[in-house]
C-alpha cells in the first residue's frame, strides 16, 4: 500500500554541479534497483519503474536489515529540465528529484520520508551495490580519468599516505581507489578501509565519525578495529583508535596499541 509522503519534507536547491551530473539520462537509465548502505546494518533501496505510464515513473523506497523495515512509494514525472524523475506534492512543489552522476551513481536531492528515520539530505545510490562484501574483497572498481576528475570536483577523492581514496559520507565508506606502489601487492583498488556506523555530514565539524577500520597484511584477512574522529573542514578527516598488532610470523591479532595505523588522516584533492 502506498504511503503519502509528508508535505513537511525539507526541500533543497535544484542547482547541481554541472561537472558531476551527466547529460539528462533517459527514463530507462533510471529503471531498476538502486541501493546504498544506511548504517546500523541496514540497506536502503530505491526501486524505479518507468513502465507505469508514458508520463509516470513510480519510485518505491524501502529499508532492509536489522531493526524495523520501512516502505513507501510515490509517483514521479520524468523531467529533462531536472535531469530525471521529479516527485511533486499535491500543490505542485517538488519533494525530491533524481539525477544520474557522471560516475554512474544516482543522486537524490533531499530527505524523502521522515517516518523512515533520519536520512541525509544528499543521498547517493548505486545500481550494482556490493552490500555486505568482506573487507578483503573489492567494493568499487577503478575509475576513468574523466570520472576521477568529476569526483575531485565533487570533493570525493582524498589522499591517505600517498594512496588515492574515495570517501562517501552518505554511504559511510572509505575505499582505496589507487593504492600507493608500496602496498599495491597487498591492497587492491576498491578495498574497504573504513565503514562508518552511520552516514555523516562532511560539512559539520562537530559530527562524530565512528566505525570500523581495517589493517592489511599480505596473506591475511584484514584485521578490524574501532576508530572515531571528526571532519576538520570538509577537506580533512582524521580518525583515531588503537590498532591491531599481529603475531610476527602470522595473521593472529595478539593485541591493540597506538602505532602507525592508529591515526588515519585523509586530505581532499578538491579545492
Amino acid at each position: 500500500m502506498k504511503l503519502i509522503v509528508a508535505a513537511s519534507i525539507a526541500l533543497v536547491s535544484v542547482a547541481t554541479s554541472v561537472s558531476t551530473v551527466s547529460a539528462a539520462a533517459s527514463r530507462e537509465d533510471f529503471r531498476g534497483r538502486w541501493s546504498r548502505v544506511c548504517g546500523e546494518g541496514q540497506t536502503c533501496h530505491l526501486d524505479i519503474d518507468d513502465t507505469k505510464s508514458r508520463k509516470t515513473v513510480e519510485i518505491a523506497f524501502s529499508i532492509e536489515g536489522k531493526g524495523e523495515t520501512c516502505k513507501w512509494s510515490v509517483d514521479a514525472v520524468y523531467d529533462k529540465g531536472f535531469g530525471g524523475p521529479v516527485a511533486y506534492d499535491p500543490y505542485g512543489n517538488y519533494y525530491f528529484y533524481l539525477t544520474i552522476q557522471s560516475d554512474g551513481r544516482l543522486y537524490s536531492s533531499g530527505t524523502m520520508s521522515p517516518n523512515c528515520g533520519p536520512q541525509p539530505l544528499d543521498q547517493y545510490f548505486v545500481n550494482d551495490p556490493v552490500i555486505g562484501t568482506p573487507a578483503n574483497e573489492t567494493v568499487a572498481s577503478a575509475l576513468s580519468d574523466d570520472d576521477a576528475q568529476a569526483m575531485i570536483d565533487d570533493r570525493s577523492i582524498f589522499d591517505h599516505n600517498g594512496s588515492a581514496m574515495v570517501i562517501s559520507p552518505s554511504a559511510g565508506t572509505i575505499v582505496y581507489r589507487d593504492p600507493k606502489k608500496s602496498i599495491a601487492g597487498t591492497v587492491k583498488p576498491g578495498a574497504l578501509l573504513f565503514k562508518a556506523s552511520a552516514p555523516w555530514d562532511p560539512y559539520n565539524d562537530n559530527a562524530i565519525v565512528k566505525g570500523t577500520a581495517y589493517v592489511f597484511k599480505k596473506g591475511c584477512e584484514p584485521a578490524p578495529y574501532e576508530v572515531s574522529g571528526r571532519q576538520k573542514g570538509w577537506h580533512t578527516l582524521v580518525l583515531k583508535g588503537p590498532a591491531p598488532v599481529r603475531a610476527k610470523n602470522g595473521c593472529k591479532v595478539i593485541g591493540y596499541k597506538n602505532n602507525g595505523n592508529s591515526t588515519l588522516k585523509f586530505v581532499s584533492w578538491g579545492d
Side-chain angles (χ1 to χ4, degrees):
M1 181 178 68
K2 293 186 178 181
L3 300 179
I4 298 176
V5 183
S8 61
I9 291 176
L11 301 180
V12 295
S13 171
V14 177
T16 307
S17 172
V18 174
S19 63
T20 60
V21 179
S22 63
S26 68
R27 286 167 54 111
E28 292 78 9
D29 291 330
F30 290 89
R31 183 188 304 161
R33 166 160 286 195
W34 301 77
S35 305
R36 70 177 180 84
V37 176
C38 296
E40 303 298 330
Q42 294 183 322
T43 304
C44 291
H45 300 295
L46 286 183
D47 289 289
I48 302 176
D49 180 5
D50 70 322
T51 63
K52 187 172 183 179
S53 76
R54 293 182 62 184
K55 295 183 178 180
T56 303
V57 177
E58 184 177 45
I59 302 171
F61 178 85
S62 63
I63 297 178
E64 67 176 4
K66 298 180 181 178
E68 297 182 2
T69 59
C70 179
K71 298 180 180 180
W72 55 262
S73 63
V74 64
D75 288 341
V77 176
Y78 178 78
D79 188 330
K80 287 186 178 180
F82 278 80
V86 184
Y88 291 95
D89 67 18
Y91 306 100
N93 301 308
Y94 73 90
Y95 287 132
F96 61 89
Y97 64 93
L98 306 178
T99 56
I100 294 178
Q101 307 293 285
S102 60
D103 61 5
R105 294 181 299 168
L106 181 143
Y107 168 81
S108 168
S109 69
T111 298
M112 295 181 179
S113 183
N115 64 343
C116 286
Q119 299 286 321
L121 288 178
D122 295 326
Q123 302 182 56
Y124 292 90
F125 296 76
V126 295
N127 63 0
D128 187 19
V130 184
I131 304 299
T133 300
N136 62 317
E137 296 182 15
T138 58
V139 297
S141 59
L143 302 172
S144 69
D145 290 340
D146 288 343
D147 288 336
Q149 184 59 53
M151 294 187 76
I152 292 171
D153 295 336
D154 196 31
R155 302 174 175 179
S156 298
I157 297 185
F158 286 66
D159 173 80
H160 171 58
N161 296 334
S163 295
M165 315 296 297
V166 177
I167 296 183
S168 177
S170 61
T173 58
I174 301 176
V175 301
Y176 282 91
R177 177 183 180 266
D178 294 308
K180 61 183 178 181
K181 187 175 181 180
S182 61
I183 64 172
T186 301
V187 182
K188 302 302 181 184
L192 177 68
L193 176 62
F194 173 73
K195 179 68 182 74
S197 57
W200 74 90
D201 179 357
Y203 299 100
N204 181 359
D205 291 352
N206 295 318
I208 296 177
V209 182
K210 61 181 180 180
T212 303
Y214 296 89
V215 169
F216 297 83
K217 182 178 180 180
K218 194 168 186 177
C220 301
E221 291 293 318
Y225 63 110
E226 298 306 304
V227 295
S228 63
R230 288 186 172 91
Q231 294 274 165
K232 296 184 177 180
W234 66 264
H235 49 75
T236 303
L237 172 63
V238 178
L239 303 172
K240 296 182 179 181
V245 177
R246 296 186 193 266
K248 186 175 182 179
N249 297 316
C251 298
K252 184 178 179 180
V253 174
I254 58 176
Y256 296 82
K257 71 175 184 179
N258 292 318
N259 56 25
N261 294 314
S262 297
T263 298
L264 305 175
K265 184 176 182 179
F266 307 89
V267 179
S268 176
W269 284 13
D271 54 11

